[in-house]
Amino acid sequence: MNGNINGLHIFTVALHLPPNLKPLEELAYNLWFAWNPEVIALFRRLDRWLWEETRHNPVLMLSQLSRERIQELSQDEAFLAYMHRVYNEFQNYLKSPYFAPFFQAEKDFLIAYFSAEFGLTDCLPMYSGGLGVLAGDQLKSASDLNLPLVGIGLLYQHGYFRQALTIDGIQKEIYPENDFYHMPLRLEKNAQGNPILIKVDLKGKEAYAQIWRVDIGRIRLYLLDANIPQNPPHIRAITFRLYDADREIRLQQEILLGIGGVRALHALGINPTIYHMNEGHSAFAGLERIRILREKTNVSFDAAHLAVMASNVFTTHTSVPAGIDIFDPHLVEAYFANYAPKLGISIPVLLGLGRKNPADHNEPFCMNILAMKLSGHINAVSKLHKRVSQKLWHILWPAIPEEDVPIKYITNGVHVPSWISHEMVELYNRYLGPHWFEDPDNEKVWSRVMEIPDEELWGTHERRRERLVAFCRRKLQKQLIRRGAPQSEIMKVSRILNPEALTIVWARRIVTYKRPTLIFRNPERLAQILNNPTRPVQIIIAGKAHPADEPAKALIKQIVSFTKDERFRYRLVFIEDYDLEVGRYLVEGADIWLNTPRKPNEACGTSGMKAIANGALHLSTGDGWWAEAYKPELGWLIGFGEEYSDPNYQDEVESNSLYNLLEHEIVPLFYDRGPDGLPHGWVHKMKLSMRHLCPKFNSHRMLEEYVQNFYLPAFDYWQKLSLDNLKGANELSQWKNKIMTNWDKVSVLQVEPTGDIEIPVGEELKIQALVQLGELTPEEVRVEVCYGRISLSGKLKQGKAVVMKAIHQEGDGVYRFEGNFCCQDTGRFGYKLKIVPHHSNLVPSYYLLGVLVVWG
């Protein structure tokens, strides 16, 4: 990039390799290396030490190779042959995908996937935790599945923080600067060779951003960077840190991500038809889409809003209200005063789109609410999270039962090839077949796990545990050296952890509801479990606390204090700076993956899925994904799956359950060895876990469900509403206005039969109703009879709905509807009528449907 900074004339020095080594550059700039062991092995052959020193960054590594080493490689025939073999595999991957699109893709079918963070590989630290890693896994699976998708995010100069602990366990945050020119990134440029810039308005001031491209197999991710000379210092700071604690900077980030992200796609000539917002951070993208549609077609805000809703998908990830972005309405007003008129609405209307109660002018502006009001397709990230989300957001659909709130669920998954060890890859290649790598959701493929000989699976797993222990010892030595510990203390590290002991790992973002200290509730009992002379157990813990989360930091300090306790000194470690590299070692070497969230706060939790693919067994409370995955033969359940009103009592019950499982089931099974020294019962459980859980809880399956349940329906809605200059959207808008004008005249006049009636089991009950529709026609409403068992409180349980048909008109605006249903069980049942607006082009989650409901 040419430019002038502080009086300096800027130029870029580009990497230059001999022609016969050019494939290395192409391989370095595509993150296919992040999940392909052959490419990693290739780069390790260049210089193993340098590969580790550069944090597995092939671009930086190539730039640091000496001229002598480059010359040597260019003449090494064995190396060149290996490089060309790997490069040919890469080219075949790009040009000849194992999967043709697994659905009949339309010509204009393209998904834009927005996320504030992406966890893709070690040398791109643009993530903070599970949300970003999930986003990264989604892009990798999109590449493997050959799905037309592009990613949109922000490029952070400092990314998320690196964690360092003091000798007392106090977390310190370090923000190293990212050197984009030595990362696997390409700056997008125009025909003149200059960076492509987009701009957004920030309180009347123009803020610019350039666009970087990350190649992820067949997928491209575009990241916006505001730290450029065209911006003043306070604007450049927008993309300094992920999730900046300053609320105004956070709002600026989300404006740049949402509005700027849409503009970046247009500047690149990319025109998606489906927009997927991963959490509420990018919700402003929906507003920008409305603005563009109005500018192009001159339609009303309502019509543009309906068209955008039809093709927007929103995934909510949090179960905890504190984890949802909200902003002071005055701050939002200051930033959108000039923008609202371009939407054709006033500031109060815009603010109302981000509120539960639009009339409450003091209510904060919520990004998740904005995303839901702009999206026709909404999903939670596990079966349990669906119920939690329906309860949390029921207020947006107040006139319908909580269980009818239009939030579906697609359980998260992991990109299996990114998270398994090289040794496990080789084992799977031998027994699962060559195509498991790109087809990891195939149940037939995973059934072959049962054919792996016990000694091979156990031997592979033991090697990874040994490597995990060695890795932890290296990390602990570095931690002690950095803290200035005496040499005598550093020497003791070689005695910490046992490569043959049962190894429990707890690793994830540290926050109070995840309860990392639950296992320490009874230290004496835990000490007896860990220090059994013939059946030793050890625990490895890792995780970061948000810089502003003091209670979480206190938990880290407490854990570190336990590591110094003589009872735990050689059986318990805390590994600093939990990141993708640390995470891989942990999931690859753990025997037990421990998860202790307080139900129902864990939305999904995918770390355990990664461990299972490596042969670890899961031990968790009945929260998140484990609530739907648990079976006794596959792992262990802490507690009984209940929800408690008293957190202290819950901790007592579940910690005792945890200790009981360890003492009476887990430890005995692990150390029950046959004459050949193998724990055959344990290995059998490993195989069952992998066979039944791996094909389901992976991102290929997840993405296929997104396609079938959301992307294809969204595309169909978009096609219907956008054709002929948004003709369908205009018609739908006119219908909506008619509904809004006439809905107060809709009522149920009469229902038959009434009273306490009795019918034989299995016999149909015919229901008729007189309904007053006023100016509306039967085609513009849907009349349903909702029936089910009656609870003790007088409510319908597990209600079902049957659509009633209009059989004739009985007066001015009065129609007779009829429907019937059959009860196959005996007991007390009830029914009632529900009338809602209906239009064939109306998306399921249209939020006004939660208000416009008549019951009878």
Side-chain angles (χ1 to χ4, degrees):
M1 180 182 75
N2 296 321
N4 187 292
I5 302 176
N6 297 327
L8 295 174
H9 297 281
I10 306 301
F11 62 96
T12 302
V13 178
L15 178 67
H16 181 73
L17 292 172
N20 66 345
L21 291 181
K22 279 295 183 181
L24 289 176
E25 183 176 353
E26 195 171 339
L27 289 166
Y29 277 96
N30 192 302
L31 297 196
W32 191 61
F33 71 76
W35 71 95
N36 191 284
E38 294 292 329
V39 189
I40 294 172
L42 175 67
F43 285 121
R44 289 173 68 89
R45 286 180 67 163
L46 298 178
D47 188 320
R48 182 172 181 175
W49 178 86
L50 193 56
W51 175 251
E52 299 298 332
E53 188 70 17
T54 59
R55 298 183 63 84
H56 310 149
N57 182 345
V59 175
L60 179 58
M61 182 183 184
L62 290 175
S63 73
Q64 293 186 359
L65 284 177
S66 66
R67 291 185 179 182
E68 292 76 15
R69 179 58 176 156
I70 291 174
Q71 182 69 18
E72 179 184 345
L73 290 167
S74 69
Q75 297 173 1
D76 185 336
E77 292 186 5
F79 174 81
L80 292 173
Y82 183 58
M83 179 191 71
H84 284 295
R85 181 172 68 78
V86 173
Y87 182 70
N88 288 337
E89 289 179 8
F90 172 60
Q91 290 298 311
N92 287 335
Y93 176 86
L94 295 181
K95 298 174 182 177
S96 305
Y98 174 66
F99 281 99
F102 57 93
F103 60 95
Q104 190 61 43
E106 299 286 345
K107 178 182 176 182
D108 298 325
F109 185 89
L110 179 62
I111 306 138
Y113 183 80
F114 284 68
S115 183
E117 51 174 304
F118 288 90
L120 291 158
T121 190
D122 305 353
C123 60
L124 279 177
M126 306 297 169
Y127 63 94
S128 71
L131 177 74
V133 174
L134 172 84
D137 281 6
Q138 175 137 346
L139 297 193
K140 292 172 184 176
S141 275
S143 173
D144 287 344
L145 291 170
N146 200 27
L147 183 68
L149 181 147
V150 295
I152 296 291
L154 301 180
L155 187 61
Y156 305 97
Q157 193 68 62
H158 299 280
Y160 204 52
F161 70 90
R162 306 297 301 274
Q163 180 193 56
L165 302 182
T166 68
I167 196 70
D168 296 320
I170 298 173
Q171 176 179 286
K172 299 296 183 182
E173 294 86 32
I174 302 168
Y175 291 90
E177 185 171 300
N178 291 315
D179 179 3
F180 300 154
Y181 292 90
H182 283 116
M183 288 179 164
L185 304 164
R186 299 281 196 188
L187 190 60
E188 290 292 287
K189 299 180 179 180
N190 58 24
Q192 292 72 43
N194 297 317
I196 297 173
L197 300 181
I198 60 99
K199 63 181 179 181
V200 295
D201 179 276
L202 297 177
K203 290 199 297 189
K205 304 291 185 181
E206 290 182 339
Y208 293 87
Q210 61 187 7
I211 308 165
W212 296 82
R213 186 186 83 240
V214 185
D215 292 326
I216 307 158
R218 307 177 184 110
I219 297 298
R220 290 184 170 184
L221 166 65
Y222 297 99
L223 301 172
L224 303 184
D225 169 23
N227 187 20
I228 56 177
Q230 290 84 350
N231 291 324
H234 71 284
I235 298 297
R236 297 178 68 165
I238 294 174
T239 54
F240 273 9
R241 295 180 180 179
L242 173 61
Y243 301 140
D244 198 293
D246 183 282
R247 299 310 297 168
E248 186 164 4
I249 294 178
R250 181 77 72 87
L251 179 61
Q252 293 170 344
Q253 288 181 330
E254 300 191 358
I255 290 171
L256 182 60
L257 173 62
I259 296 175
V262 173
R263 293 179 182 179
L265 289 171
H266 286 212
L268 294 167
I270 299 170
N271 296 296
T273 43
I274 301 148
Y275 286 72
H276 186 167
M277 297 177 287
N278 190 40
E279 256 305 337
H281 310 113
S282 58
F284 292 133
L287 295 181
E288 178 65 6
R289 293 189 66 204
I290 291 172
R291 185 196 68 78
I292 291 171
L293 284 179
R294 280 179 40 78
E295 185 179 87
K296 285 183 176 180
T297 62
N298 201 32
V299 296
S300 67
F301 171 83
D302 271 350
H305 181 196
L306 290 165
V308 165
M309 281 190 72
S311 52
N312 270 1
V313 178
F314 171 59
T315 299
T316 176
H317 285 266
T318 184
S319 302
V320 183
I324 297 168
D325 266 350
I326 59 173
F327 295 102
D328 183 288
H330 299 293
L331 184 63
V332 177
E333 181 176 356
Y335 276 86
F336 283 85
N338 296 331
Y339 191 84
K342 299 174 184 178
L343 298 172
I345 58 175
S346 64
I347 277 289
V349 172
L350 188 150
L351 291 172
L353 289 171
R355 287 171 168 156
K356 298 175 183 177
N357 179 9
D360 182 356
H361 300 300
N362 296 316
E363 182 183 331
F365 185 88
C366 175
M367 294 299 288
N368 279 39
I369 291 177
L370 175 65
M372 283 186 275
K373 289 186 178 182
L374 294 177
S375 301
H377 315 272
I378 306 170
N379 75 285
V381 292
S382 70
K383 187 176 183 179
L384 176 60
H385 185 230
K386 170 189 172 181
R387 178 172 63 81
V388 173
S389 298
Q390 287 175 320
K391 181 177 182 179
L392 182 62
W393 301 113
H394 185 209
I395 194 167
L396 296 180
W397 292 270
I400 60 178
E402 187 177 291
E403 62 269 20
D404 290 342
V405 169
I407 298 177
K408 299 180 181 180
Y409 81 94
I410 293 178
T411 303
N412 284 343
V414 300
H415 184 250
V416 176
S418 292
W419 295 104
I420 59 173
S421 66
H422 179 62
E423 294 90 341
M424 193 63 77
V425 168
E426 292 178 344
L427 194 64
Y428 285 162
N429 286 342
R430 286 200 300 274
Y431 291 98
L432 271 60
H435 294 305
W436 80 268
F437 210 71
E438 289 195 64
D439 196 12
D441 60 334
N442 188 317
E443 293 193 14
K444 184 177 179 180
V445 168
W446 282 103
S447 68
R448 298 174 194 149
V449 164
M450 306 306 292
E451 300 172 11
I452 302 175
D454 285 6
E455 58 271 20
E456 287 197 51
L457 179 57
W458 186 245
T460 299
H461 184 68
E462 285 203 302
R463 283 194 295 276
R464 289 313 310 183
R465 190 193 315 112
E466 291 168 1
R467 293 192 178 185
L468 170 58
V469 169
F471 173 79
C472 288
R473 289 172 177 172
R474 291 197 302 271
K475 291 282 287 187
L476 288 170
Q477 284 183 334
K478 291 179 181 179
Q479 290 172 199
L480 290 173
I481 292 170
R482 182 185 51 77
R483 296 172 192 164
Q487 188 64 28
S488 59
E489 192 74 16
I490 296 171
M491 294 294 290
K492 291 179 181 178
V493 168
S494 61
R495 296 160 53 194
I496 291 176
L497 302 179
N498 178 349
E500 297 180 354
L502 171 60
T503 302
I504 300 171
V505 173
W506 189 104
R508 54 192 36 84
R509 180 172 58 94
I510 291 187
V511 66
T512 52
Y513 79 79
K514 292 180 184 284
R515 298 186 297 178
T517 56
L518 182 69
I519 198 169
F520 301 105
R521 189 171 177 87
N522 187 334
E524 286 297 331
R525 191 173 178 185
L526 178 61
Q528 292 176 4
I529 294 171
L530 300 190
N531 294 304
N532 186 304
T534 59
R535 302 190 306 186
V537 180
Q538 56 200 15
I539 302 172
I540 303 171
I541 297 179
K544 296 178 179 178
H546 188 277
D549 190 345
E550 294 302 327
K553 289 183 176 181
L555 292 177
I556 294 176
K557 186 177 180 182
Q558 183 181 352
I559 295 168
V560 171
S561 71
F562 277 115
T563 67
K564 300 175 184 177
D565 189 313
E566 284 301 320
R567 296 171 296 179
F568 306 115
R569 179 177 291 272
Y570 299 104
R571 294 282 184 261
L572 170 68
V573 298
F574 186 98
I575 301 299
E576 288 181 6
D577 202 27
Y578 182 44
D579 61 6
L580 294 181
E581 181 186 20
V582 173
R584 278 198 306 276
Y585 273 98
L586 295 177
V587 298
E588 290 170 4
D591 294 306
I592 289 290
W593 196 263
L594 178 62
N595 189 27
T596 52
R598 178 173 285 116
K599 186 178 180 180
N601 291 311
E602 185 83 288
C604 184
T606 56
S607 58
M609 302 175 190
K610 301 160 191 165
I612 279 171
N614 286 281
L617 294 173
H618 204 57
L619 169 62
S620 175
T621 55
D623 204 4
W625 75 284
W626 197 235
E628 63 193 87
Y630 168 72
K631 290 181 181 178
E633 64 271 23
L634 306 180
W636 291 276
L637 178 68
I638 299 171
F640 307 98
E642 307 101 336
E643 296 177 27
Y644 296 79
S645 57
D646 182 348
N648 189 59
Y649 178 67
Q650 180 179 6
D651 290 352
E652 184 66 22
V653 169
E654 293 181 346
S655 63
N656 282 326
S657 172
L658 173 55
Y659 294 136
N660 288 334
L661 287 170
L662 289 171
E663 291 168 339
H664 303 301
E665 295 188 33
I666 295 172
V667 176
L669 183 64
F670 182 84
Y671 284 104
D672 180 16
R673 306 298 168 100
D676 55 2
L678 297 178
H680 291 284
W682 186 276
V683 174
H684 182 67
K685 202 175 185 80
M686 289 169 62
K687 290 180 180 179
L688 289 175
S689 173
M690 290 188 287
R691 174 184 178 178
H692 293 288
L693 299 179
C694 288
K696 182 175 181 181
F697 295 99
N698 67 76
S699 51
H700 277 42
R701 182 274 311 157
M702 175 188 75
L703 197 50
E704 288 169 0
E705 289 187 8
Y706 272 115
V707 170
Q708 299 299 335
N709 298 338
F710 291 123
Y711 296 160
L712 289 178
F715 182 75
D716 288 342
Y717 278 117
W718 170 254
Q719 290 287 77
K720 292 175 184 177
L721 296 184
S722 63
L723 291 176
D724 299 327
N725 215 33
L726 268 71
K727 178 182 178 182
N730 274 311
E731 291 176 351
L732 189 59
S733 176
Q734 293 167 10
W735 167 87
K736 173 195 165 185
N737 290 333
K738 181 181 178 183
I739 291 290
M740 297 292 289
T741 303
N742 292 279
W743 194 252
D744 60 343
K745 303 181 183 70
V746 176
S747 64
V748 178
L749 302 178
Q750 180 182 327
V751 180
E752 300 173 350
T754 59
D756 193 352
I757 60 174
E758 183 177 301
I759 61 171
V761 64
E763 184 173 299
E764 283 192 345
L765 180 62
K766 183 179 291 185
I767 307 296
Q768 290 196 351
L770 286 180
V771 176
Q772 171 66 257
L773 295 182
E775 299 298 318
L776 303 180
T777 67
E779 292 74 29
E780 294 174 312
V781 300
R782 185 172 71 238
V783 181
E784 297 178 344
V785 54
C786 304
Y787 69 97
R789 289 188 182 275
I790 301 177
S791 68
L792 293 176
S793 60
K795 295 182 179 180
L796 291 181
K797 294 195 302 181
Q798 298 177 336
K800 300 179 180 179
V802 171
V803 177
M804 302 179 73
K805 295 181 179 180
I807 53 178
H808 55 80
Q809 185 172 355
E810 298 204 355
D812 188 15
V814 178
Y815 297 85
R816 180 173 293 275
F817 284 78
E818 183 178 271
N820 54 67
F821 58 86
C822 178
C823 294
Q824 298 294 343
D825 300 307
T826 60
R828 296 283 289 175
F829 287 79
Y831 71 87
K832 57 183 177 179
L833 262 61
K834 180 175 76 171
I835 307 175
V836 295
H838 174 72
H839 192 286
S840 60
N841 289 339
L842 194 67
V843 291
S845 67
Y846 182 54
Y847 68 93
L848 279 179
L849 292 183
V851 178
L852 303 180
V853 179
V854 171
W855 294 94

